[in-house]
mmCIF file of all heavy atoms in Angstrom:
data_model
loop_
_atom_site.group_PDB
_atom_site.id
_atom_site.type_symbol
_atom_site.label_atom_id
_atom_site.label_comp_id
_atom_site.label_asym_id
_atom_site.label_seq_id
_atom_site.Cartn_x
_atom_site.Cartn_y
_atom_site.Cartn_z
ATOM 1 N N VAL A 42 -85.142 -2.315 -31.528
ATOM 2 C CA VAL A 42 -84.124 -2.601 -32.546
ATOM 3 C C VAL A 42 -83.367 -1.311 -32.868
ATOM 4 O O VAL A 42 -83.852 -0.445 -33.594
ATOM 5 C CB VAL A 42 -84.752 -3.215 -33.810
ATOM 6 C CG1 VAL A 42 -83.682 -3.476 -34.864
ATOM 7 C CG2 VAL A 42 -85.482 -4.513 -33.470
ATOM 8 N N LYS A 44 -80.399 -0.878 -34.285
ATOM 9 C CA LYS A 44 -79.392 -0.932 -35.361
ATOM 10 C C LYS A 44 -79.270 0.396 -36.123
ATOM 11 O O LYS A 44 -80.280 1.018 -36.428
ATOM 12 C CB LYS A 44 -79.727 -2.065 -36.343
ATOM 13 C CG LYS A 44 -81.033 -1.882 -37.076
ATOM 14 C CD LYS A 44 -81.371 -3.109 -37.919
ATOM 15 C CE LYS A 44 -82.598 -2.816 -38.770
ATOM 16 N NZ LYS A 44 -83.211 -4.023 -39.321
ATOM 17 N N ASN A 65 -78.482 -6.352 -35.538
ATOM 18 C CA ASN A 65 -78.367 -7.354 -36.601
ATOM 19 C C ASN A 65 -76.939 -7.543 -37.109
ATOM 20 O O ASN A 65 -76.711 -8.327 -38.005
ATOM 21 C CB ASN A 65 -79.320 -7.028 -37.764
ATOM 22 C CG ASN A 65 -78.928 -5.769 -38.506
ATOM 23 O OD1 ASN A 65 -78.183 -4.943 -37.977
ATOM 24 N ND2 ASN A 65 -79.417 -5.621 -39.718
ATOM 25 N N ILE A 86 -80.491 -10.518 -33.894
ATOM 26 C CA ILE A 86 -81.658 -10.765 -34.750
ATOM 27 C C ILE A 86 -81.297 -10.876 -36.227
ATOM 28 O O ILE A 86 -82.142 -11.196 -37.053
ATOM 29 C CB ILE A 86 -82.741 -9.670 -34.561
ATOM 30 C CG1 ILE A 86 -82.192 -8.289 -34.930
ATOM 31 C CG2 ILE A 86 -83.267 -9.677 -33.118
ATOM 32 C CD1 ILE A 86 -83.272 -7.198 -34.943
ATOM 33 N N GLY A 87 -80.034 -10.590 -36.569
ATOM 34 C CA GLY A 87 -79.646 -10.588 -37.980
ATOM 35 C C GLY A 87 -78.955 -11.875 -38.390
ATOM 36 O O GLY A 87 -78.602 -12.716 -37.548
ATOM 37 N N MET A 168 -88.755 -17.781 -35.057
ATOM 38 C CA MET A 168 -88.720 -16.370 -35.454
ATOM 39 C C MET A 168 -89.019 -16.273 -36.938
ATOM 40 O O MET A 168 -88.679 -17.170 -37.708
ATOM 41 C CB MET A 168 -87.313 -15.823 -35.165
ATOM 42 C CG MET A 168 -87.096 -14.379 -35.543
ATOM 43 S SD MET A 168 -86.541 -14.143 -37.244
ATOM 44 C CE MET A 168 -85.270 -12.927 -37.022
ATOM 45 N N ILE A 170 -89.299 -13.127 -40.231
ATOM 46 C CA ILE A 170 -89.363 -11.763 -40.753
ATOM 47 C C ILE A 170 -90.404 -11.804 -41.868
ATOM 48 O O ILE A 170 -90.174 -12.400 -42.917
ATOM 49 C CB ILE A 170 -88.003 -11.303 -41.308
ATOM 50 C CG1 ILE A 170 -86.920 -11.417 -40.223
ATOM 51 C CG2 ILE A 170 -88.091 -9.869 -41.834
ATOM 52 C CD1 ILE A 170 -85.509 -11.118 -40.727
ATOM 53 N N GLY A 210 -93.248 -9.862 -35.861
ATOM 54 C CA GLY A 210 -93.848 -8.538 -35.821
ATOM 55 C C GLY A 210 -92.786 -7.463 -35.717
ATOM 56 O O GLY A 210 -91.909 -7.528 -34.864
ATOM 57 N N MET A 211 -92.866 -6.483 -36.636
ATOM 58 C CA MET A 211 -91.962 -5.333 -36.674
ATOM 59 C C MET A 211 -92.833 -4.076 -36.681
ATOM 60 O O MET A 211 -94.042 -4.159 -36.488
ATOM 61 C CB MET A 211 -91.053 -5.444 -37.906
ATOM 62 C CG MET A 211 -90.262 -6.728 -37.865
ATOM 63 S SD MET A 211 -89.359 -7.303 -39.337
ATOM 64 C CE MET A 211 -88.739 -5.855 -40.106
ATOM 65 N N THR A 212 -92.223 -2.931 -36.931
ATOM 66 C CA THR A 212 -92.980 -1.680 -36.817
ATOM 67 C C THR A 212 -94.320 -1.709 -37.565
ATOM 68 O O THR A 212 -95.336 -1.281 -37.029
ATOM 69 C CB THR A 212 -92.127 -0.496 -37.317
ATOM 70 O OG1 THR A 212 -91.012 -0.375 -36.451
ATOM 71 C CG2 THR A 212 -92.923 0.811 -37.320
ATOM 72 N N GLY A 213 -94.297 -2.231 -38.779
ATOM 73 C CA GLY A 213 -95.500 -2.162 -39.611
ATOM 74 C C GLY A 213 -96.597 -3.139 -39.239
ATOM 75 O O GLY A 213 -97.749 -2.974 -39.661
ATOM 76 N N ARG A 227 -90.183 -7.059 -32.512
ATOM 77 C CA ARG A 227 -88.906 -6.378 -32.761
ATOM 78 C C ARG A 227 -89.197 -5.053 -33.460
ATOM 79 O O ARG A 227 -89.505 -5.019 -34.641
ATOM 80 C CB ARG A 227 -88.013 -7.266 -33.647
ATOM 81 C CG ARG A 227 -87.877 -8.706 -33.133
ATOM 82 C CD ARG A 227 -87.018 -9.535 -34.090
ATOM 83 N NE ARG A 227 -87.492 -9.462 -35.463
ATOM 84 C CZ ARG A 227 -88.316 -10.336 -36.037
ATOM 85 N NH1 ARG A 227 -88.741 -11.395 -35.389
ATOM 86 N NH2 ARG A 227 -88.697 -10.163 -37.297
ATOM 87 N N VAL A 228 -89.102 -3.974 -32.719
ATOM 88 C CA VAL A 228 -89.527 -2.680 -33.253
ATOM 89 C C VAL A 228 -88.337 -1.714 -33.342
ATOM 90 O O VAL A 228 -87.713 -1.396 -32.331
ATOM 91 C CB VAL A 228 -90.648 -2.072 -32.389
ATOM 92 C CG1 VAL A 228 -91.089 -0.727 -32.948
ATOM 93 C CG2 VAL A 228 -91.839 -3.030 -32.306
ATOM 94 N N GLY A 229 -88.039 -1.304 -34.564
ATOM 95 C CA GLY A 229 -86.962 -0.349 -34.802
ATOM 96 C C GLY A 229 -87.509 1.032 -35.110
ATOM 97 O O GLY A 229 -87.535 1.932 -34.269
ATOM 98 N N THR A 230 -87.978 1.204 -36.337
ATOM 99 C CA THR A 230 -88.488 2.488 -36.818
ATOM 100 C C THR A 230 -89.507 3.122 -35.872
ATOM 101 O O THR A 230 -89.463 4.335 -35.635
ATOM 102 C CB THR A 230 -89.133 2.288 -38.213
ATOM 103 O OG1 THR A 230 -88.218 1.543 -39.024
ATOM 104 C CG2 THR A 230 -89.422 3.612 -38.874
ATOM 105 N N GLY A 231 -90.388 2.341 -35.344
ATOM 106 C CA GLY A 231 -91.447 2.847 -34.479
ATOM 107 C C GLY A 231 -90.918 3.485 -33.203
ATOM 108 O O GLY A 231 -91.603 4.308 -32.597
ATOM 109 N N ARG A 236 -84.740 4.659 -40.809
ATOM 110 C CA ARG A 236 -83.331 4.456 -41.141
ATOM 111 C C ARG A 236 -83.140 4.809 -42.603
ATOM 112 O O ARG A 236 -84.104 4.940 -43.341
ATOM 113 C CB ARG A 236 -82.925 2.992 -40.923
ATOM 114 C CG ARG A 236 -82.929 2.535 -39.482
ATOM 115 C CD ARG A 236 -82.590 1.058 -39.399
ATOM 116 N NE ARG A 236 -83.529 0.232 -40.130
ATOM 117 C CZ ARG A 236 -84.651 -0.250 -39.622
ATOM 118 N NH1 ARG A 236 -84.976 -0.022 -38.373
ATOM 119 N NH2 ARG A 236 -85.460 -0.977 -40.361
HETATM 120 C C1 PLP B 304 -84.453 -4.028 -38.687
HETATM 121 C C2 PLP B 304 -85.139 -5.235 -38.140
HETATM 122 C C3 PLP B 304 -86.312 -5.108 -37.375
HETATM 123 C C4 PLP B 304 -86.994 -3.794 -37.088
HETATM 124 O O1 PLP B 304 -87.594 -3.287 -38.243
HETATM 125 P P1 PLP B 304 -88.577 -2.018 -38.196
HETATM 126 O O2 PLP B 304 -89.447 -2.193 -39.362
HETATM 127 O O3 PLP B 304 -87.710 -0.803 -38.262
HETATM 128 O O4 PLP B 304 -89.331 -2.090 -36.915
HETATM 129 C C5 PLP B 304 -86.870 -6.268 -36.873
HETATM 130 N N1 PLP B 304 -86.318 -7.487 -37.101
HETATM 131 C C6 PLP B 304 -85.203 -7.640 -37.819
HETATM 132 C C7 PLP B 304 -84.644 -9.005 -38.015
HETATM 133 C C8 PLP B 304 -84.577 -6.526 -38.371
HETATM 134 O O5 PLP B 304 -83.450 -6.694 -39.089
#
Side-chain angles (χ1 to χ4, degrees):
V42 179
K44 64 186 187 196
N65 68 341
I86 61 172
M168 179 272 224
I170 303 174
M211 301 168 37
T212 296
R227 309 178 307 266
V228 180
T230 312
R236 293 177 300 272

